[in-house]
Amino acid sequence: MKTSLFTGWQARFHAVCLLMLFSALAVGALSGTAHAQAQVSPAPSETVAVEPLPSPEAAPAPAAEAEAAPAFDRGDVAWMLTSTLLVLLMVVPGLALFYGGLVRSKNVLSVLSQILVVFSLVLMLWVAYGYSAVFSEGNQFFGSFTQFAFLKGFTPESVGNTPIKGLPDYLFVAFQSTFAGITTALIVGAFAERIKFKAVLLFSALWFTLSYIPMAHIVWGGGYLGAMGAIDFAGGTVVHINAGVAGLVAAYFVGKRIGYGQTALKPHNVPLTYIGAMLLWVGWFGFNAGSAAAADTVASLAFINTILATAAAVLGWTLVEAVSKGKPSALGAASGAVAGLVGITPACGTVGPLGAIVIGLVTGVVCVWGVTGLKRLLKVDDTADVFGVHGVGGIVGALLTGVFSAQSLGGTNADLDIGHQVWVQFVSVGFTIVWCAVVTVAILLVVRMVFGLRVTEEAERTGLDVTSHGESAYEV
């Protein structure tokens, strides 16, 4: 840890004291990181002759306690700043381009706008009350909405007032804000191409407050599932299952797009989606390895697991498509990468590399069924397959986390009872599904009553770019 202890007049004062009293003082560090204390050597038991000090005025008494510089490691801070930037890259442009390419050309700008504005709205709400409600003391489901409202009590110099003691307070708040933002923005893909813009914003504000905040507190803020021992390193339940279930419920409420199941509603730009998926892969290292909150061995484990699981999922998805359809698609490979990223998210800090490969491979294979067979069974128009990839992938990853986190299978937990941990993971998955589904239904009923959910048939046929935003992505 590199800190500057000798700056300003205080440093000079202590230097003079040490020079004049070096024969009588010893410097020792007390416990903790906030203070260092200079202690006078104990007086000897025998009588010894000593020379008198030059002058009482010339040797001012040393301070009993000197406050040390803030306790943080510059390497950890640099990594967490980078991780926060990487998660931002996941959303804008990563997620926006991924979803934007999946919709038709007449709706691409509406999706880009929804993701950017929803993300920005959630960042504001996070600072206003979100951080406080997640990471302050409260009950098993919510923290206090007022204790740290608008970051009350934090300053640019404050350190150690967050759950991660070794980071500046503002940095931890900023990192966690990107998680809240991307989780809410993920839902946009489920009801894209037919929802009112103002309905999206009201839904997002309410859903962030009533679904994301409690789930984050329940898992990461000392709530019910965290106390139970559920493992969710970077957001399998809090982010992906939460958003996936919300997307599924919202897609049912908004209804199917005009022509769905009758005409082909193809992605208008697969290269755009491919670029978005690759930006997601790059940004996901901040999401997963950044959740270690330090530049250490845990971050390194999460890093390599994020590489391997994603690659395995790409291969798994591609193989299934090659066997079932005869030809593997670029869109499938890109979707496989996202599925692998989703699957490894809850496990990346606790499983070994071989476990990560298995999780990625299984998630890639299962998610192919999630966006095809399961989607047909559910009879839902989930435009960007938010549930098929994030919901299903999150469930698979959360359950397999309970298996491969055991040290006997290459994980980091030497005392893990696999059967018990899988049960805990199952309970956490079930709790997330039920909580999110109930809350999302209630929110959609409110939004439908206030604004309505769906644009008119004429607006949908024309395209939301023109009817909602007054512009076109492509000039014909």
Side-chain angles (χ1 to χ4, degrees):
M1 184 181 300
K2 298 180 181 179
T3 56
S4 180
L5 296 178
F6 296 99
T7 58
W9 68 269
Q10 290 178 318
R12 293 192 290 274
F13 173 76
H14 284 287
V16 171
C17 291
L18 290 172
L19 287 173
M20 299 189 67
L21 301 179
F22 68 94
S23 61
L25 299 179
V27 178
L30 292 178
S31 60
T33 57
H35 299 284
Q37 184 176 0
Q39 297 179 328
V40 179
S41 301
S45 57
E46 301 179 9
T47 303
V48 256
V50 294
E51 296 183 5
L53 293 175
S55 166
E57 292 79 8
E65 189 173 285
E67 187 173 349
F72 60 82
D73 183 275
R74 293 178 187 269
D76 291 345
V77 171
W79 169 237
M80 293 307 296
L81 288 169
T82 303
S83 295
T84 304
L85 186 62
L86 286 171
V87 182
L88 177 62
L89 180 73
M90 290 175 65
V91 194
V92 283
L95 182 65
L97 292 178
F98 183 78
Y99 283 174
L102 290 174
V103 299
R104 289 165 290 178
S105 59
K106 63 184 179 180
N107 296 312
V108 57
L109 293 182
S110 71
V111 171
L112 300 183
S113 298
Q114 287 172 17
I115 290 174
L116 176 58
V117 177
V118 164
F119 183 73
S120 301
L121 172 64
V122 171
L123 294 187
M124 296 298 101
L125 298 178
W126 178 255
V127 170
Y129 58 83
Y131 173 82
S132 181
V134 172
F135 290 108
S136 63
E137 293 185 5
N139 55 40
Q140 292 292 303
F141 304 100
F142 289 93
S144 167
F145 279 79
T146 59
Q147 183 177 351
F148 302 117
F150 293 99
L151 307 186
K152 180 172 57 179
F154 290 0
T155 68
E157 292 77 26
S158 62
V159 176
N161 298 310
T162 69
I164 305 301
K165 301 303 181 184
L167 294 179
D169 296 343
Y170 282 158
L171 177 52
F172 181 75
V173 173
F175 180 67
Q176 287 294 330
S177 74
T178 59
F179 277 62
I182 191 173
T183 304
T184 312
L186 281 172
I187 306 169
V188 166
F191 45 55
E193 300 197 283
R194 72 268 200 195
I195 194 169
K196 294 179 179 179
F197 186 66
K198 56 187 176 183
V200 173
L201 297 185
L202 179 57
F203 169 82
S204 299
L206 294 175
W207 189 88
F208 163 75
T209 305
L210 299 176
S211 193
Y212 181 83
I213 284 178
M215 282 306 308
H217 180 77
I218 288 166
V219 176
W220 294 331
Y224 170 63
L225 294 179
M228 181 186 291
I231 301 174
D232 189 353
F233 189 79
T237 52
V238 177
V239 177
H240 298 293
I241 300 176
N242 205 9
V245 171
L248 179 65
V249 174
Y252 274 122
F253 263 75
V254 178
K256 298 177 182 179
R257 289 168 289 174
I258 296 173
Y260 181 80
Q262 300 170 352
T263 59
L265 306 178
K266 295 181 178 180
H268 90 283
N269 194 326
V270 174
L272 208 64
T273 295
Y274 180 90
I275 293 170
M278 297 307 101
L279 287 171
L280 282 168
W281 192 353
V282 173
W284 222 289
F285 291 103
F287 199 81
N288 283 356
S291 292
D296 59 9
T297 56
V298 178
S300 301
L301 177 64
F303 201 98
I304 191 171
N305 285 343
T306 303
I307 292 176
L308 296 176
T310 310
V314 170
L315 295 177
W317 192 301
T318 300
L319 178 62
V320 171
E321 275 199 340
V323 172
S324 62
K325 297 181 179 180
K327 295 179 180 179
S329 66
L331 179 59
S335 299
V338 176
L341 291 164
V342 170
I344 196 59
T345 292
C348 59
T350 58
V351 304
L354 292 180
I357 292 173
V358 174
I359 291 173
L361 185 63
V362 172
T363 305
V365 170
V366 173
C367 283
V368 177
W369 170 75
V371 304
T372 53
L374 179 61
K375 188 175 181 178
R376 285 194 295 269
L377 287 174
L378 295 174
K379 297 180 180 179
V380 62
D381 181 11
D382 180 351
T383 307
D385 292 315
V386 177
F387 182 74
V389 174
H390 295 274
V392 173
I395 291 170
V396 172
L399 295 176
L400 292 181
T401 298
V403 177
F404 291 100
S405 292
Q407 193 174 70
S408 60
L409 295 175
T412 62
N413 195 325
D415 302 320
L416 188 73
D417 181 332
I418 294 178
H420 172 73
Q421 190 61 49
V422 169
W423 170 250
V424 171
Q425 298 299 110
F426 178 80
V427 171
S428 70
V429 168
F431 181 92
T432 305
I433 292 172
V434 172
W435 179 284
C436 180
V438 172
V439 168
T440 304
V441 167
I443 291 170
L444 288 166
L445 289 173
V446 171
V447 175
R448 186 166 65 182
M449 181 177 62
V450 175
F451 289 135
L453 294 172
R454 191 162 181 149
V455 299
T456 64
E457 181 177 341
E458 181 183 356
E460 185 176 345
R461 291 187 184 280
T462 302
L464 302 190
D465 287 0
V466 172
T467 58
S468 295
H469 303 282
E471 53 190 346
S472 298
Y474 309 103
E475 296 296 334
V476 180

